[in-house]
Amino acid sequence: MTDQPQELLAAVDSLLAAVDGGTVLPVPAERTRLREAAGLTEAAVAQALGVRVPSIQAWEAGRAEPRGERLEAYRRLLEGLAARYPAPVSAPADPAAEPEPVDAARSADAGTATAVPPAPATTTTRTRPPQPPPTRRPARKPAAPSTAADESPFPNGPLAVLDGDGTAYCLGGLLLDCPAGTLVELVEWALDEAGVGQERLHRHGKDSDPLIVLTASAAARFGLPERLEDRRALRLPDDHPVVRQLTKAKWKLTQRGFGPWPRIYRPATSGRRRCVQLAVLPWDALDSRAWGDAARLHPADLARVLGVYAIRVLTPRGSTAVTGLELMSALRPPTRPVQDEATGEWVSGPHPGALTRPVDPAPPEAPLEHPVAQGWDRGFLDEEAYQWVREPGLLSDEECLLPWAVGIDVNTAFLAAASRLTVGLSEPEHVTAPAFDKKIPGTWLADLSGIALDPRLPSPFTPSGERPEGPAWYTTPTLAYAEELGHRVRPAEAWLRRETGPYLDPWHDRLRDAYLTTTAEMGIPVGKDTDPAAYLDALALHRTYAAADEADLDALRAALRELDARTLDPARLADAADEQLAAAVRRHRQGAMVLSAVKSTVKGGIGKLRERPQGRHYRDGERWPALERPTWNPYIRAAVIAKARVNMHRKMAKLAALTGRHPLAVLSDCVVYTAPGRSPLDFLPVRDDGSPVPGTFRIGASPGLCKVEGVRETAWAVDLMEQGYNPARHIKGGDAVLDEGE
């Protein structure tokens, strides 16, 4: 007992020392607020700090505190976030502020939702009626690069949307003054004053360059034309005044030239990187197939949409396909610093687990234009997505008498297939008469034509769903599934990789978190124990808001009242004030844009792994620039698509075995069944406790789970089948785009 006072005094002295040393962390509630304000998931913070998610949860709840190096790293993170997202100061209510949106979040579990900085109160879209002038607006404050070691070098977020009056809109409602009158001045401002950019996602990677998005008026301000005259190359001519201006100032352009996504740089000196990425909106930098109507948003709204995408995925570096590929390298850089044993100096070396150098594919894996494919006449891989329609003669009377054809869509099927997929990281090696091993990534020549399966299901071995006619080349996932079905596989030869690893796992994890976080933000439940009916109702509400015209709220009210929602109260939502409905429309529409971009990032990134040559002057057999990337790897693309197709067949086969139901048609990740009702819940099997049966199609938000794609009458689907068309392509209400990963 005599030692207790001394122990207490020592503990107090320790606390005082922590205060003096600046190592006291913010209160638990503030830690959570800062993380959510930045749009960071618990998993993302845990990965960065090298701990498990429960540790982050305990720190934010105040049940535990980090120690040692992790304490310092966590404190640095919180201080950096606090600089970007200061605590709100209580103030009188602003009459110009938007009211709280009304949506499904009031009545549906939001699962793992994390908040993002709210849209500015005075934000308007270019397509809706003008709003009352604001009584105040955020102060414009030019930023200077931070020199403090514990402060972020990018205090103003990952990007800025620049309008013609010199106002730069950043994430979180921050406005900056851009005094630049020429493109050279803009580049220098972006690098030296704007304070925008994004810190590296991996410690061996590189920070993302500042992205400046130019509206039409901003583009005109810097002397850029309204549209590109060269519609084939999509770039300004080298003698254009803007290009000459940059060249004169010693700035360079990449091989893509000055197009919709120009990258302007100077060669690195003393390890210092000087590079700015531009996006020119009037030149269709934001493809509507990926971003919807984002290019038509008010700059403040666009800054939020792009900023949220940048925080959850990556600062855009071009199309979503380009960004998807860049994300792979950002999460698994090809090189890392290693110490030369002879000299003791640090040099660049290969990064284990990454694609570290350009590698030529095996001949059967290569596209026809590739040098290794020239003269090869023994067949090629045909691992593509499903395009299959059942023979109408195989339809039963019972199926045709059911009133509805219901299309169900697998959420981000390629992303789900990328999870825990072992791929090759080295050159392919040719092997004769190998023993098949499902653990070895490779391309195998095997004959699966003798395997007879139910003709009411598509064959899992061909994208057409037809039975193979003889020996063909297959990836490891396809042959592994043949073994799973009970057939002995005897390859005649193979091209195998000896260096392997789950290369896509970090890519999958980040995109999955981005997809689920954005989904939950829309009030759509994403938890594992979510009631399927609640998920479908919340998704229907989100789609109703996202498709609404803000200028016609009466139509939105009518659509809300027509919702058949068992877990929502559409009538209450329909009776909300105009301002609340308009705010909900904006929020859901912008969320839908982010979701669309995330999904396009998945498909486009997989497709870019086999980017084909472009340009009218190309000749077969010549190399093209994409081949010099470590990430040009057509085998990985084929393996992902093969696994997605196999996953789809496995679910269809399990459903047929349990219920006797067979699909009418399949298009990539959409499958159509006849049903007694308009919901997939009317025909998907459940266990005695009402939970979904594992191994079949399950309704939910996660990648690999399903949602409703569309519902039409069975007679409509049968009529299309008899005409030789695929109902899965049209059931959504228009021509679907095949998710080939191209």
Side-chain angles (χ1 to χ4, degrees):
M1 296 293 294
T2 56
D3 293 335
Q4 186 174 5
Q6 294 299 325
E7 293 176 359
L8 292 176
L9 293 176
V12 170
D13 290 341
S14 177
L15 284 177
L16 292 174
V19 172
D20 294 338
T23 59
V24 176
L25 297 175
V27 296
E30 178 65 3
R31 304 172 197 178
T32 304
R33 185 195 73 80
L34 290 171
R35 176 181 58 77
E36 292 181 344
L40 296 174
T41 63
E42 294 170 343
V45 176
Q47 181 179 4
L49 298 178
V51 298
R52 297 182 303 115
V53 170
S55 296
I56 302 299
Q57 295 171 340
W59 297 349
E60 292 186 352
R63 299 192 305 269
E65 296 290 323
R67 296 182 179 181
E69 294 180 352
R70 289 193 174 88
L71 170 62
E72 178 63 23
Y74 190 48
R75 181 181 64 83
R76 178 172 178 175
L77 170 66
L78 295 177
E79 289 182 351
L81 294 178
R84 297 186 185 187
Y85 307 105
V89 179
S90 300
D94 183 359
E98 287 183 348
E100 180 72 14
V102 176
D103 58 21
R106 300 297 186 208
S107 53
D109 176 21
T112 60
T114 57
V116 298
T122 60
T123 294
T124 60
T125 63
R126 297 192 185 280
T127 57
R128 71 174 185 259
Q131 303 297 298
T135 57
R136 64 186 184 196
R137 57 187 290 177
R140 301 184 183 184
K141 48 182 182 182
S146 172
T147 57
D150 59 348
E151 293 183 10
S152 169
F154 311 115
N156 296 328
L159 55 89
V161 179
L162 183 62
D163 213 357
D165 63 356
T167 303
Y169 296 80
C170 300
L171 184 62
L174 176 67
L175 302 182
L176 305 177
D177 275 326
C178 176
T182 67
L183 212 56
V184 170
E185 293 174 352
L186 173 64
V187 171
E188 294 171 348
W189 173 83
L191 289 169
D192 299 331
E193 297 183 42
V196 296
Q198 187 176 29
E199 294 187 62
R200 64 196 69 187
L201 300 183
H202 190 282
R203 63 193 181 107
H204 297 318
K206 300 175 181 177
D207 295 342
S208 290
D209 302 316
L211 170 61
I212 307 297
V213 182
L214 303 180
T215 65
S217 59
R221 174 181 179 178
F222 296 115
L224 300 177
E226 292 184 8
R227 67 189 301 271
L228 288 172
E229 296 299 330
D230 187 348
R231 304 308 298 168
R232 179 182 292 272
L234 289 178
R235 57 190 291 172
L236 289 178
D238 292 340
D239 60 353
H240 190 278
V242 167
V243 178
R244 293 205 309 265
Q245 176 192 111
L246 291 170
T247 304
K248 184 178 179 181
K250 308 300 183 183
W251 291 100
K252 296 180 179 293
L253 295 168
T254 61
Q255 292 183 353
R256 289 187 295 178
F258 202 112
W261 288 91
R263 187 178 290 270
I264 304 170
Y265 73 99
R266 281 179 179 155
T269 57
S270 302
R272 188 183 181 192
R273 181 180 176 87
R274 300 280 288 175
C275 185
V276 174
Q277 178 80 67
L278 302 182
V280 187
L281 293 182
W283 297 354
D284 299 324
L286 297 181
D287 190 331
S288 60
R289 292 171 297 180
W291 292 98
D293 293 332
R296 300 172 57 190
L297 293 174
H298 184 279
D301 288 331
L302 180 58
R304 183 177 189 273
V305 169
L306 294 177
V308 168
Y309 174 89
I311 287 174
R312 295 177 183 170
V313 181
L314 185 71
T315 300
R317 300 183 181 181
S319 67
T320 49
V322 170
T323 305
L325 195 70
E326 292 283 342
L327 181 63
M328 296 179 194
S329 297
L331 294 168
R332 284 198 189 270
T335 61
R336 64 168 181 169
V338 295
Q339 195 168 26
D340 189 311
E341 295 182 358
T343 65
E345 296 181 354
W346 289 94
V347 297
S348 178
H351 185 201
L355 297 172
T356 60
R357 63 192 185 282
V359 173
D360 280 342
E365 300 167 354
L368 296 177
E369 305 91 343
H370 198 285
V372 303
Q374 305 308 301
W376 179 263
D377 59 358
R378 300 180 52 213
F380 294 87
L381 273 177
D382 190 21
E383 299 281 29
E384 301 294 341
Y386 268 134
Q387 295 187 71
W388 174 83
V389 180
R390 200 202 312 179
E391 286 291 333
L394 296 177
L395 293 173
S396 67
D397 293 340
E398 292 79 4
E399 288 176 306
C400 294
L401 290 174
L402 292 173
W404 301 107
V406 179
I408 52 178
D409 173 76
V410 179
N411 296 323
T412 56
F414 290 171
L415 185 62
S419 176
R420 296 188 297 277
L421 176 65
T422 300
V423 300
L425 305 176
S426 56
E427 296 89 346
E429 301 176 11
H430 186 254
V431 182
T432 303
F436 177 69
D437 186 344
K438 65 181 181 180
K439 296 181 180 180
I440 299 179
T443 297
W444 314 74
L445 180 63
D447 189 351
L448 304 181
S449 60
I451 300 177
L453 299 172
D454 191 329
R456 294 172 295 177
L457 291 174
S459 168
F461 310 128
T462 64
S464 66
E466 301 296 327
R467 186 171 174 173
E469 296 181 352
W473 295 96
Y474 301 99
T475 59
T476 299
T478 300
L479 288 194
Y481 187 56
E483 276 198 342
E484 182 182 324
L485 294 175
H487 302 281
R488 186 174 181 183
V489 176
R490 295 182 176 179
E493 59 181 294
W495 296 81
L496 307 179
R497 272 82 174 173
R498 301 303 177 183
E499 183 181 343
T500 67
Y503 174 72
L504 293 175
D505 270 7
W507 186 81
H508 162 272
D509 293 348
R510 186 163 180 86
L511 288 169
R512 176 203 59 202
D513 289 348
Y515 182 81
L516 291 177
T517 299
T518 308
T519 298
E521 189 181 55
M522 298 300 99
I524 303 171
V526 299
K528 293 181 179 179
D529 299 326
T530 297
D531 176 25
Y535 167 74
L536 292 176
D537 288 343
L539 182 62
L541 178 64
H542 162 65
R543 288 174 169 174
T544 300
Y545 275 130
D549 183 352
E550 193 178 334
D552 188 2
L553 296 181
D554 289 338
L556 172 59
R557 286 191 166 88
L560 288 173
R561 291 191 174 96
E562 290 178 3
L563 279 181
D564 181 19
R566 286 156 289 193
T567 58
L568 304 172
D569 183 2
R572 178 181 63 82
L573 299 176
D575 291 337
D578 286 356
E579 294 81 3
Q580 292 176 304
L581 286 181
V585 168
R586 289 193 293 277
R587 192 165 72 91
H588 282 268
R589 183 179 294 164
Q590 292 173 24
M593 293 172 184
V594 177
L595 274 179
S596 175
V598 170
K599 291 186 286 187
S600 293
T601 302
V602 173
K603 293 185 293 186
I606 295 298
K608 275 285 184 180
L609 290 167
R610 195 189 68 164
E611 182 178 353
R612 306 182 83 158
Q614 303 172 15
R616 57 185 173 181
H617 301 299
Y618 177 79
R619 297 291 180 269
D620 287 355
E622 298 176 351
R623 298 187 70 82
W624 59 95
L627 302 186
E628 309 312 317
R629 295 193 309 246
T631 49
W632 193 88
N633 193 310
Y635 173 79
I636 295 180
R637 172 191 176 275
V640 169
I641 296 176
K643 185 179 175 184
R645 194 183 65 244
V646 163
N647 287 345
M648 178 72 81
H649 188 276
R650 185 182 289 110
K651 291 180 172 66
M652 291 187 291
K654 184 68 175 288
L655 183 63
L658 291 174
T659 67
R661 297 184 183 276
H662 297 82
L664 301 183
V666 186
L667 182 77
S668 187
D669 50 12
C670 175
V671 56
V672 179
Y673 284 93
T674 56
R678 297 175 59 89
S679 170
L681 300 179
D682 294 324
F683 66 89
L684 293 180
V686 295
R687 294 186 288 197
D688 293 340
D689 61 358
S691 61
V693 176
T696 63
F697 295 101
R698 298 180 58 183
I699 301 300
S702 296
L705 302 189
C706 304
K707 60 181 178 294
V708 178
E709 179 75 357
V711 182
R712 302 292 288 269
E713 293 181 351
T714 298
W716 167 88
V718 173
D719 183 57
L720 282 184
M721 295 168 66
E722 291 176 342
Q723 297 180 56
Y725 297 110
N726 190 330
R729 182 181 296 277
H730 305 281
I731 199 165
K732 192 174 183 179
D735 287 348
V737 177
L738 180 62
D739 294 344
E740 290 183 323
E742 285 290 0

